[in-house]
Amino acid sequence: MKNILIISSSPRRNGNSQLLCNQFKKGAEDKGHHVDMIRIMDQNIGFCRACDGCMRNGGTCILRDDMANILNLYQKADVLVLATPVYFYGISAQMKTFIDRTYPIWQHLGKKDVYYIISAGLGEDIVERALGDLDGFVEHLEEYEIKGRLYATNVMDAGLVKNQEIYKQAYEMPTQSKRSVRFCTDHYSLNPFISFTRDNIVLQLQLNTPGSVSITS
């Protein structure tokens, strides 16, 4: 059994990244893992003041809010799931606040398996542009492996992922080997496709017309 911490930074309870988090949590729990899911919007978390107080007092933030408990859960976790929608080509303000508030332990971020869950109203190129903050944070861990990525693209309205293949994949991801799963809608043809990357092999399933499927590799 592993201790899994999901950091969900969607402002919307029925947002696409939040729904994928819910599925990931259910899948992990059904396999016997312990899961804590933190919705940043539901927490009382202030902004980092860059005062360096935590560097002078042994790693305790001067702000007395919910972040202390989140850091405690973080340090106990074997697996970290970082989930965010993409806003203005970047991660959500809620996720950035979480990352900044880990500063008291930034030299002791530990060893984690890491998953990304990202939703965006536009294509995958927008997701790639938004990864800098997440990658920068994860690269400060003492040891890490990115075990999986879920990218839900072209999902502007809340809840669109619920009837898509990636919703099922979010449930299955905690039980599978390292992989990436993407669900996209082509803006030009409006044909949905699912792209799977595993062991450096890319398979793309194109739903051309009802009853018509093509697979490329």
Side-chain angles (χ1 to χ4, degrees), residues 59-74:
T60 300
C61 184
I62 65 167
L63 298 179
R64 300 293 185 259
D65 58 18
D66 293 337
M67 194 63 196
N69 179 59
I70 296 173
L71 289 179
N72 183 49
L73 292 173
Y74 172 89

Side-chain angles (χ1 to χ4, degrees), residues 196-213:
F196 298 90
T197 303
R198 189 170 187 177
D199 299 327
N200 296 320
I201 299 173
V202 178
L203 298 176
Q204 187 176 102
L205 185 152
Q206 180 75 48
L207 305 176
N208 298 316
T209 59
S212 174
V213 175

Side-chain angles (χ1 to χ4, degrees), residues 109-114 138-145:
L109 290 173
K111 175 182 177 180
K112 313 282 183 196
D113 290 338
V114 179
V138 170
E139 287 166 10
H140 278 82
L141 272 65
E142 293 161 63
E143 187 176 342
Y144 70 91
E145 181 178 2

